[in-house]
């Protein structure tokens, strides 16, 4: 039995696709803990929080029932389990799509043509809800895995399964028809947790840190020297958070310019800055941005 001692408990996937990114996110929030997948429970040394390692399928229900206060899990699982939980923020990893697909040779080419057909899935609840929203009747064949084999085995006419790259679909002669749900990892919470003043404070502190590290993701800090006459040209090139910081240098007529820059435009911007007269351009990582 885990003591209810005012510490927060956050459930993350024990071992799987979300595990490494979830641990990295918590560590990027400054939380220090050992994580061994053999141990259910890892206390955090410098924050009132304990990390629980669980099967991802169990996380929504454990959060709903208060076994954990918080959880990190795919939106696909949260929706499928229909757990009564509060949802906080999407976390920008674990992207995948729950997709309806059909055999390449199938006559089915539209969602409407799925009416009265058989659809195999491990996501019966989400599929049921989708079919209802489309006013379609179809037989849901609930499987526990290897859904992509169902059409070949003539168990189903279509499948509704998680796709990330589409390689598995192609290998099994299937083509996507419709995306039912675009999912990513998200932070969920027990609905009672925020009524507990100490826990609420901890959750709020953690949320600020999480949003800080999400904000910093994909961004770099850039510094350069330039003649003051080039400032307006340089400022027009920099897509800065607000406006760039300009600091005078000891050498007369020279300034240092500091700015935050998105990773994906970094190289283009650097070339333009050089042409505009910037020199000694330095780019460093950002750990967090608290607004
Ligand atoms: P567990 O043992 O915890 O039940 P699992 O095998 O059910 O693990 P994983 O395959 O590790 O689960 O996937 C965890 C989550 O990662 C999925 O629920 C989904 O949100 C996300 N995900 C991202 N890409 C994919 C993918 N290509 N296939 C399946 N899930 C993916
Ligand atoms: Mg699972």
């Amino acid at each position: 039995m885990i003591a209810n001692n005012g510490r927060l408990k956050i459930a993350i996937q024990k071992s799987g696709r979300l595990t490494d990114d979830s641990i990295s996110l918590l560590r990027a929030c400054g939380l220090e803990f050992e994580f061994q997948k053999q141990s259910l429970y890892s206390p955090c040394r410098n924050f009132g929080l304990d990390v629980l390692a669980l099967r991802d399928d169990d996380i929504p229900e454990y959060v709903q029932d208060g076994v954990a206060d918080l959880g990190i899990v795919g939106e696909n699982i949260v929706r499928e389990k229909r757990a009564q939980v509060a949802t906080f923020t999407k976390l920008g990893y674990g992207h995948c799509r729950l997709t309806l697909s059909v055999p390449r040779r199938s006559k089915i080419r539209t969602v409407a043509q799925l009416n009265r057909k058989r659809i195999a899935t491990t996501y019966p609840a989400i599929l049921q809800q989708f079919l209802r929203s489309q006013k379609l009747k179809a037989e849901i064949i609930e499987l526990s895995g290897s859904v992509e084999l169902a059409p070949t085995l003539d168990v189903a006419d279509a499948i509704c399964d998680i796709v990330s790259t589409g390689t598995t679909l192609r290998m099994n002669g299937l083509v996507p028809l419709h995306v039912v749900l675009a999912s990513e990892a998200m932070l969920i919470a027990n609905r009672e947790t925020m009524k507990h003043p100490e826990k609420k404070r901890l959750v709020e502190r953690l949320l600020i840190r999480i949003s800080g590290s999400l904000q910093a993701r994909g961004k770099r800090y850039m510094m350069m020297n330039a003649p003051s006459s080039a400032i307006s040209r340089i400022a027009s090139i920099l897509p800065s958070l607000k406006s760039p910081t300009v600091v005078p240098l000891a050498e007369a007529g020279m300034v240092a310019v500091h700015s935050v820059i998105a990773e994906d435009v970094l190289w283009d911007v650097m070339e333009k800055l050089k042409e505009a007269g910037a020199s000694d351009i330095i780019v460093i990582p950002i750990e967090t941005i608290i607004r």
Side-chain angles (χ1 to χ4, degrees), residues 105 140 159:
R105 285 181 205 83
I140 297 178
I159 67 166

Side-chain angles (χ1 to χ4, degrees), residues 12-19 54-59 73-77 93-97 123 161-166 168 183-185:
I12 67 172
Q13 192 185 20
K14 184 186 2 206
S15 167
R17 294 176 206 261
L18 302 182
T19 307
L54 300 172
R55 287 275 319 272
D56 70 342
D57 315 68
D58 298 334
I59 292 176
V73 65
E75 188 179 349
N76 51 322
I77 305 288
Y93 59 87
H95 290 278
C96 58
R97 300 178 303 276
Y123 290 86
D161 199 12
I162 294 287
V163 174
S164 54
T165 60
T168 312
S183 172
E184 64 187 271

Side-chain angles (χ1 to χ4, degrees), residues 219-227 234 238-240 243-247 249 254-262 266 269-271 273-274 277-286:
K219 300 213 177 79
R220 297 276 188 275
Y221 198 75
M222 190 182 233
M223 299 177 274
M224 71 211 75
N225 294 337
I234 288 180
L238 284 171
S240 167
S243 60
T245 308
V246 180
V247 204
L249 292 183
M254 288 295 286
V255 292
V257 181
H258 293 206
S259 181
V260 172
I261 177 114
L266 180 68
V269 169
M270 254 195 315
E271 286 160 12
L273 288 170
K274 233 176 144 6
S279 58
D280 307 313
I281 304 172
I282 295 175
V283 179
I284 55 176
I286 299 177

Side-chain angles (χ1 to χ4, degrees), residues 12 23 26-27 31-46 49-53:
I12 67 172
I23 293 171
L26 296 178
R27 296 214 166 120
L31 308 186
E32 291 173 10
F33 57 95
E34 307 297 331
F35 185 84
Q36 277 146 357
K37 56 181 180 192
Q38 304 88 315
S39 65
L40 167 66
Y41 176 75
S42 314
C44 189
R45 278 192 289 278
N46 59 350
L49 174 137
D50 301 317
V51 182
L52 300 185

